[in-house]
């Protein structure tokens, strides 16, 4: 949709159409469909049943991206009516996008990592580059920033299992 000049609503509706075409009422996809506009430091997004993203400011305060949460893609009788949210990031801001696999991850004590579990790695600010560094490096730097966040070092001693440290596949 971006390359053809279409907006985020069109992109999300196209994805919804593809999921509906699978003709499996038990199948749905959550997604946070987003577009970054570097010249204005603006993030625009549509949340389709996905966990919220977060902004961590230069002082370490964390706030959810917010905005409407639409149903997951492929659900409901008709295509959804979608609303795009937007936010301008300030110098020093960090953006944290997570999957439900992070917030639903089991802890070593058998509980769930949850949104509260995000606070441990977020306090380890050296693990998450500031907005300035990510903006300069583009999408590759942003993907690397999320990958480097990890849950092992920042959450050590807090009962959170680092990926792969429980013997299951998918670890590093």
């Amino acid at each position: 949709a971006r390359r053809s000049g279409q907006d985020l609503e069109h992109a999300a509706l196209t994805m919804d159409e593809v999921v509906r075409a699978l003709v499996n009422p038990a199948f749905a996809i959550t997604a946070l469909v987003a577009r970054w506009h570097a010249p204005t430091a603006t993030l625009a997004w549509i949340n389709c049943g996905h966990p919220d993203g977060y902004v961590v400011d230069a002082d370490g305060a964390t706030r959810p991206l917010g905005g409407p949460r639409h149903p997951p893609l492929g659900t409901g009788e008709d295509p959804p009516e979608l609303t795009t949210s937007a936010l301008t990031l300030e110098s020093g801001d960090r953006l944290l996008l997570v999957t439900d696999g992070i917030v639903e991850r089991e802890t070593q004590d058998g509980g769930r990592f949850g949104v509260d579990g995000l606070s441990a790695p977020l306090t380890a600010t050296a693990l998450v580059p500031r907005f300035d560094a990510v903006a300069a490096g583009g999408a590759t730097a942003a993907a690397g920033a999320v990958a480097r966040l990890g849950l092992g070092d920042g959450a050590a001693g807090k009962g959170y299992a680092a990926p792969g440290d429980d013997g299951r596949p998918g670890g590093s």
Side-chain angles (χ1 to χ4, degrees):
R2 177 182 57 82
R3 290 184 181 146
S4 64
Q6 299 295 319
D7 58 17
L8 285 178
E9 289 93 352
H10 183 265
L13 288 172
T14 300
M15 289 186 281
D16 182 73
E17 182 180 316
V18 169
V19 175
R20 287 175 187 280
L22 298 174
V23 193
N24 182 348
F27 187 72
I29 295 176
T30 67
L32 196 140
V33 182
R35 180 174 290 158
W36 171 248
H37 188 252
T40 61
T42 302
L43 178 74
W45 73 94
I46 299 172
N47 188 335
C48 298
H50 202 71
D52 282 328
Y54 297 88
V55 174
V56 183
D57 68 22
D59 296 325
T62 303
R63 67 184 187 278
L65 284 177
R69 183 175 291 182
H70 303 289
L73 301 170
T75 62
E77 295 292 320
D78 299 310
E81 291 193 25
L82 302 171
T83 304
T84 299
S85 300
L87 172 71
T88 300
L89 295 175
E90 302 296 326
S91 180
D93 283 352
R94 292 164 286 161
L95 178 63
L96 177 65
L97 302 175
V98 298
T99 69
D100 51 2
I102 296 288
V103 294
E104 293 175 3
R105 185 173 179 83
E106 288 187 22
T107 60
Q108 291 174 344
D109 63 5
R112 295 278 180 201
F113 188 76
V115 173
D116 293 338
L118 293 173
S119 63
L122 289 176
T123 58
T125 57
L127 294 176
V128 185
R130 289 196 172 327
F131 161 69
D132 301 327
V134 173
T140 302
V146 172
R148 285 192 306 271
L149 174 62
L151 299 178
D153 297 335
K158 308 275 193 265
Y160 309 123
D165 70 357
D166 57 359
R168 291 186 286 182
S172 49

